[in-house]
Amino acid sequence: MKNTSGLRLLVLLSPLALFVGLLAWLTAENRTVPVESSDWVGSGLSQDQRPVVYPANKDDQAVQTAFRAWLTTYRSADEIQRTALLERGLEVAAQRRLRMARLIREEPQQALREAIRFDEYEALPE
């Protein structure tokens, strides 16, 4: 049996760290990112002073759907099937990582809604 007490503590404290980081980011000056670049017209900021806006990918929701589908399949698969699913899992996880980074910056509540549960985290390959 693996010693997972350190991992469990990390998983339990991660949401708190995420919340504190988001709170600090949201309360810092000039951190709000407009939905559209036209929101900055007349703000007095030059183009290079304006924060970068990361638009949502048109297939953004498809990334979440693909990850959830993969996770469901992986969790119900046997060991042989899981080995075959690893490569696809790495692909969808990399895409999801980019999506989650954008959501944390722009839509933190949605990022929290899409976070995986602890039991899902435990089922992921190491």
Side-chain angles (χ1 to χ4, degrees), residues 3 10 13 16 22 28-29 40-41 43 60-61 66-67 78 81-82 84 86 99 103 118:
N3 180 1
L10 176 66
L13 292 179
L16 177 62
L22 286 173
E29 285 186 43
W40 289 99
V41 174
S43 67
D60 210 25
Q61 186 57 44
F67 176 78
D78 62 32
Q81 293 169 328
R82 284 182 174 192
L86 283 178
R99 173 181 165 76
L103 287 176
F118 183 69

Side-chain angles (χ1 to χ4, degrees), residues 19-84:
F19 175 74
V20 170
L22 286 173
L23 185 61
W25 183 80
L26 290 172
T27 58
E29 285 186 43
N30 300 323
R31 292 288 189 199
T32 55
V33 179
V35 176
E36 298 177 14
S37 59
S38 62
D39 292 347
W40 289 99
V41 174
S43 67
L45 295 176
S46 67
Q47 186 68 32
D48 61 327
Q49 292 174 318
R50 298 175 190 171
V52 177
V53 177
Y54 299 92
N57 182 339
K58 66 179 181 177
D59 296 326
D60 210 25
Q61 186 57 44
V63 170
Q64 176 67 6
T65 302
F67 176 78
R68 285 287 171 189
W70 176 86
L71 183 59
T72 301
T73 303
Y74 183 83
R75 290 182 75 180
S76 63
D78 62 32
E79 286 300 315
I80 294 170
Q81 293 169 328
R82 284 182 174 192
T83 302

